[in-house]
């Protein structure tokens, strides 16, 4: 009777664990990775853009547009062209020896660069976690461990860039001036001072990074309760008694299955 036992509990190939584990990577984790990538892109843009502050000036020789764009790396403005040439943009770099510049500018250089590096590490950890799902389905704990590390780095990065953004925003709103180096030939205070687009972009980047960290750390790992589908194997019914196993019972007056007769005799 052993060969009649059903072989119906055969699991599928082990490779089918990969889509199952991908199912365990919830939309919260994938959404956290998406926000992390977007936040990193915006952070890089905010760091590189030259418009942290927008100054409106007047009566400054050589500056025809009356606007100065001040970033954390340099300041730019449009200068008058000579010999009937169109106006061109000129930028002056902020060097470390220019100690007269506000501290928030140099601090922003360091912290924004650091935040970009930390965010890159966070994305790398989370990307490695997803890659590990396809590489080796047995390393399940690695998936959530690396996602957790990425979420922590996201929070740290969002806090890091929030500091220089808030400091520079406060300087603009309070109308603080900038003591430019003498070779710049720029005034200490403008006629009007506005917040540059780079600060707004930086705050959005900080929000995306912190949201990414909260989603990853706050979202519980959704574990799938579904069981692997089983492959049912059709099993032939037990063979009936052959003709050789059937005899006539002279005492019964009819043809009786030998197997049934033997069972009755045992009872």
């Amino acid at each position: 009777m052993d060969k009649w036992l059903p072989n119906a509990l055969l699991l599928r190939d082990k490779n089918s664990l990969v889509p199952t584990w991908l199912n365990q990577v919830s939309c919260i984790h994938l959404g956290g990775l998406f926000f992390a990538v977007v936040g990193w892109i915006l952070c890089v843009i905010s760091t590189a853009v030259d418009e942290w502050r927008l100054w409106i000036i007047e009566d400054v020789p050589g500056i025809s547009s009356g606007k100065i764009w001040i970033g954390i790396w340099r300041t730019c403005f449009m200068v008058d062209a000579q010999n009937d040439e169109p106006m061109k943009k000129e930028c002056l770099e902020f060097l470390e020896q220019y100690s007269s510049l506000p501290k928030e500018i140099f601090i922003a250089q360091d912290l924004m660069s650091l935040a970009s590096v930390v965010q890159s590490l966070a994305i790398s950890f989370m990307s490695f976690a997803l890659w590990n799902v396809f590489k080796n389905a047995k390393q399940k704990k690695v998936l959530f461990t690396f996602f957790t590390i990425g979420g922590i780095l996201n929070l740290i990065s969002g806090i890091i860039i929030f500091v220089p953004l808030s400091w520079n925003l406060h300087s603009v709103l309070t109308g603080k001036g900038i003591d430019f180096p003498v070779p710049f030939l720029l005034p200490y205070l403008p006629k009007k001072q506005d917040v540059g687009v780079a600060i707004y972009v930086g705050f959005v980047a900080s929000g995306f990074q912190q949201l990414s960290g909260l989603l990853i750390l706050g979202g519980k790992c959704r574990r799938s309760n579904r069981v692997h589908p089983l492959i049912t194997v059709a099993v032939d019914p037990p063979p009936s008694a052959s003709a050789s196993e059937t005899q006539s019972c002279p005492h019964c007056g009819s043809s009786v299955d030998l197997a049934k007769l033997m069972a009755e005799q045992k009872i």
Side-chain angles (χ1 to χ4, degrees):
M1 294 179 62
D2 293 337
K3 60 182 180 180
W4 294 347
L5 294 176
N7 298 321
L9 300 178
L10 297 177
L11 295 176
R12 289 184 175 179
D13 186 22
K14 293 183 178 180
N15 291 332
S16 63
L17 291 176
V18 173
T20 301
W21 283 20
L22 282 177
N23 189 35
Q24 293 179 353
V25 180
S26 63
C27 295
I28 294 179
H29 290 84
L30 296 179
L33 177 60
F34 171 77
F35 286 127
V37 173
V38 175
W40 176 76
I41 295 175
L42 295 178
C43 179
V44 173
I45 293 175
S46 176
T47 305
V49 170
D50 297 323
E51 194 174 338
W52 282 57
R53 308 185 192 190
L54 176 60
W55 278 19
I56 306 298
I57 60 175
E58 58 184 9
D59 300 332
V60 177
I63 301 179
S64 57
S65 64
K67 294 182 179 180
I68 299 179
W69 298 275
I70 303 173
I72 60 177
W73 304 101
R74 60 184 183 175
T75 180
C76 300
F77 47 85
M78 302 299 295
V79 297
D80 296 331
Q82 298 178 357
N83 300 326
D84 297 333
E85 294 180 356
M87 292 187 300
K88 61 180 181 179
K89 187 177 182 180
E90 181 177 344
C91 296
L92 303 175
E93 302 290 335
F94 292 154
L95 305 179
E96 294 183 359
Q97 58 264 31
Y98 296 152
S99 57
S100 61
L101 293 173
K103 294 182 179 180
E104 59 264 28
I105 290 180
F106 293 111
I107 291 178
Q109 293 178 1
D110 297 333
L111 293 184
M112 294 299 292
S113 301
L114 177 61
S116 300
V117 174
V118 173
Q119 187 69 13
S120 300
L121 291 176
I123 296 174
S124 299
F125 276 112
M126 291 185 289
S127 300
F128 177 78
L130 292 180
W131 174 82
N132 186 75
V133 175
F134 295 95
K135 185 65 177 179
N136 188 353
K138 296 183 180 179
Q139 300 293 332
K140 181 178 180 181
K141 293 183 179 180
V142 176
L143 173 67
F144 303 110
T145 300
F146 278 86
F147 258 109
T148 301
I149 296 175
I152 295 174
L153 293 177
N154 285 334
L155 288 177
I156 295 175
S157 177
I159 295 173
I160 289 175
I161 68 174
F162 188 80
V163 174
L165 290 170
S166 301
W167 194 346
N168 282 270
L169 177 63
H170 178 266
S171 299
V172 175
L173 296 179
T174 55
K176 292 185 177 180
I178 298 178
D179 189 7
F180 289 103
V182 176
F184 282 29
L185 300 176
L186 296 175
Y188 177 76
L189 282 173
K191 179 181 179 181
K192 184 180 178 182
Q193 184 172 194
D194 294 325
V195 180
V197 66
I199 292 182
Y200 296 119
V201 173
F203 277 119
V204 175
S206 177
F208 274 125
Q209 293 172 7
Q210 295 186 44
L211 177 60
S212 173
L214 292 176
L215 284 176
I216 294 175
L217 297 179
K220 295 182 179 180
C221 301
R222 180 171 60 89
R223 301 185 180 274
S224 178
N225 294 324
R226 293 181 298 179
V227 182
H228 288 288
L230 303 178
I231 301 176
T232 57
V233 179
V235 180
D236 295 330
S240 59
S242 60
S244 61
E245 297 175 342
T246 305
Q247 298 179 354
S248 298
C249 178
H251 304 288
C252 299
S254 61
S255 179
V256 181
D257 187 4
L258 179 59
K260 182 176 180 180
L261 179 60
M262 292 175 64
E264 291 176 353
Q265 290 177 353
K266 290 181 180 181
I267 296 175

